[in-house]
Amino acid sequence: MRQPIEIKTKVRLSNFDPAETYGLTKEKTREATRGLLERIGGLQAKLYANTDRALLVVLQGMDAAGKDGATRSLLEFVNPSGVDVANFKAPSAEELAHDFLWRVHQVVPRYGHIGVFNRSHYEDVLVVRVLKLAPKEVWSKRYVQINRFEETLAESGYTILKFFLHISRKEQATRLRARLDDPAKNWKFEGADLLMRARWDDFMEAYGDVLNKCSPAHARWHLIPADKKWVRDFLIARRVCEALESMALEWPKPKEDLSKYRVR
Ligand code: AMP
Ligand code: MG
């Protein structure tokens, strides 16, 4: 059986191949992705007209896993006015002076919008856990706190799709090297990337817990093999398209009787 994408049962990350292609071929898949992205653009127009629902896409992954690239691809045909993208960096002093979800809730997309989280509240059980930025008594309670938070969002009209972009350690090396060698990519390189890379196994363990503890039906994790960018972009586009379609979006009914109006 091919490896599942949607995480519904307990998984072991080491059983998943980051270079999996599901038998797809590159050129045909790229074409299919384009079709899906255009459909997403059309569906977004309807979402935008609805003011009681929103879509939240959460992207997580190691450095160079392709979070920026996946965001760019997913949003290729959408109207930028209807998109809220949030990038989560190390928290500021002001953010650290609040509970960990404070900064997150503020940037949840408004109704009618598609929101993309490039990193997210999951950093608070990933980098925070691996680098011991908070004690275990603090981060270990966060899985349940995150589930409660996402449940509140889901019950408030949010469709939540979470994608873990799973690259191999080898592919990360190739991409980080390119950041060192290519002047157009130098700006993306940070010394800290190598510190994180050195903790690869600890991060994989922490990701494993995230996938196994925080994937309820209303806020599923998807494990995206991300060594191949064209596979990554296709799988995300397909899932987002499907989610927007299953929202059964309609054009809102006019608020008043339009038959009484004439435009002269
Ligand atoms: P980048 O995605 O390359 O812009 O890097 C952002 C950095 O911010 C990464 O190294 C993240 O691990 C870090 N970061 C994001 N959220 C948190 C957090 N809650 N606590 C500590 N570091 C974080
Ligand atoms: Mg970085």
Side-chain angles (χ1 to χ4, degrees):
M1 202 187 79
R2 294 204 184 267
Q3 60 196 29
I5 295 165
E6 212 174 320
I7 303 303
K8 295 180 178 173
T9 54
K10 287 256 175 287
V11 291
R12 281 174 71 90
L13 256 187
S14 54
N15 292 338
F16 285 77
D17 176 9
E20 171 70 73
T21 60
Y22 299 92
L24 299 168
T25 56
K26 189 166 168 178
E27 287 319 312
K28 276 205 170 135
T29 302
R30 280 206 170 132
E31 258 173 57
T33 304
R34 194 190 154 93
L36 289 164
L37 294 173
E38 284 174 347
R39 258 161 70 198
I40 289 171
L43 288 158
Q44 183 219 10
K46 265 192 183 164
L47 175 63
Y48 192 70
N50 282 270
T51 50
D52 56 355
R53 276 177 290 170
L55 174 69
L56 173 61
V57 173
V58 174
L59 299 176
Q60 279 291 159
M62 298 294 282
D63 288 301
K67 299 181 290 297
D68 293 328
T71 305
R72 203 173 337 112
S73 167
L74 178 65
L75 302 178
E76 190 172 350
F77 295 101
V78 302
N79 175 355
S81 303
V83 175
D84 300 323
V85 178
N87 295 291
F88 290 88
K89 309 280 181 189
S92 67
E94 182 68 15
E95 288 166 346
L96 281 175
H98 295 82
D99 70 277
F100 79 105
L101 291 170
W102 179 75
R103 67 171 183 164
V104 183
H105 210 157
Q106 288 183 71
V107 293
V108 158
R110 59 179 57 206
Y111 290 134
H113 283 210
I114 295 177
V116 179
F117 279 4
N118 185 332
R119 301 189 189 269
S120 65
H121 41 299
Y122 285 95
E123 291 292 328
D124 293 283
V125 285
L126 290 164
V127 68
V128 167
R129 165 177 165 171
V130 172
L131 300 189
K132 298 190 166 58
L133 303 178
K136 185 171 183 183
E137 306 87 82
V138 172
W139 61 254
S140 60
K141 295 197 181 93
R142 289 182 173 164
Y143 301 98
V144 172
Q145 293 164 351
I146 287 173
N147 286 341
R148 287 201 295 251
F149 170 61
E150 292 179 354
E151 187 176 21
T152 303
L153 295 181
E155 287 176 352
S156 309
Y158 287 87
T159 297
I160 306 170
L161 297 175
K162 302 181 295 197
F163 297 100
F164 170 44
L165 309 186
H166 184 31
I167 54 165
S168 61
R169 202 164 180 272
K170 186 160 169 270
E171 177 63 19
Q172 192 202 39
T174 306
R175 295 185 189 179
L176 289 179
R177 249 175 241 130
R179 290 181 177 185
L180 280 176
D181 296 343
D182 179 351
K185 293 183 177 165
N186 285 169
W187 64 276
K188 279 197 175 193
F189 187 86
E190 289 180 87
D193 296 350
L194 297 181
L195 288 179
M196 309 284 190
R197 177 172 167 75
R199 308 294 302 275
W200 189 272
D201 291 345
D202 296 331
F203 270 104
M204 290 308 113
E205 199 183 326
Y207 268 108
D209 276 355
V210 161
L211 299 175
N212 287 321
K213 290 176 193 281
C214 300
S215 194
H218 59 263
R220 285 270 198 242
W221 274 105
H222 300 76
L223 215 163
I224 303 295
D227 272 8
K228 299 198 166 39
K229 296 173 184 173
W230 55 273
V231 174
R232 171 198 81 195
D233 292 342
F234 170 71
L235 294 176
I236 295 176
R238 191 176 64 176
R239 187 65 191 92
V240 168
C241 194
E242 191 183 272
L244 284 168
E245 270 165 359
S246 67
M247 286 166 88
L249 296 160
E250 300 290 346
W251 294 110
K253 298 251 177 310
K255 293 188 188 75
E256 47 183 326
D257 177 13
L258 298 187
S259 68
K260 65 185 182 197
Y261 293 108
R262 287 282 172 280
V263 181
R264 294 184 204 283

